[in-house]
Amino acid sequence: MRTKEVIQQWVDAFNEGNADKIAAFYAENAINHQVANEPVVGKAAIHKMFSEEFANADMVCIVENIFQEGDWAILEWKDPLGLRGCGFFQIENGLIVFQRGYWDKLSFLRAHNLPIPS
């Protein structure tokens, strides 16, 4: 499967809000670093992160662009609330081994009426 196709399927799973399904896209030792947070290391920890996030907010990823270069893909996204961001994904053997995402955490918390840490 092409790298770009993996990311499109990841988006589909993300939009279902299913942590089990989305965790299946990650290698056992994968790293997910959303720059607004500390890196999350390992498939089990990534599953836990998504379980908590899906429980706290109704998130939707609308694809604006997916770019591919070799085993890397870039996802530009928006959501229905007006938030925008991008993610960089490294894929090996059809699995995500590294992900880094850029988005505004304060805007996200406000848009979802979540507590803002002091």
Side-chain angles (χ1 to χ4, degrees):
M1 182 180 320
R2 291 182 42 214
T3 300
K4 190 173 183 177
E5 293 166 342
V6 171
I7 301 310
Q8 184 58 62
Q9 290 182 7
W10 179 93
V11 169
D12 294 342
F14 181 92
N15 287 338
E16 289 179 27
N18 184 324
D20 293 337
K21 199 170 194 179
I22 203 161
F25 285 91
Y26 292 86
E28 287 300 322
N29 60 345
I31 298 170
N32 184 318
H33 184 198
Q34 302 303 302
V35 296
N37 302 317
E38 292 297 316
V40 178
V41 180
K43 186 175 190 165
I46 291 169
H47 179 275
K48 180 178 184 280
M49 175 193 74
F50 279 113
S51 293
E52 292 169 358
E53 289 178 354
F54 291 147
N56 288 327
D58 184 22
M59 299 181 290
V60 175
C61 177
I62 300 168
V63 174
E64 292 195 297
N65 289 296
I66 300 175
F67 302 98
Q68 175 183 330
E69 178 64 36
D71 62 352
W72 282 89
I74 302 169
L75 166 65
E76 286 187 300
W77 59 266
K78 64 181 179 179
D79 76 0
L81 303 175
L83 299 171
R84 291 182 179 276
C86 64
F88 295 80
F89 298 78
Q90 184 179 18
I91 311 293
E92 292 179 1
N93 300 316
L95 296 173
I96 299 166
V97 295
F98 182 78
Q99 177 183 356
R100 179 174 290 131
Y102 297 90
W103 46 276
D104 181 357
K105 186 174 184 174
L106 182 58
S107 296
F108 175 85
L109 294 172
R110 286 182 176 153
H112 291 280
N113 296 313
L114 295 170
I116 298 172
S118 47

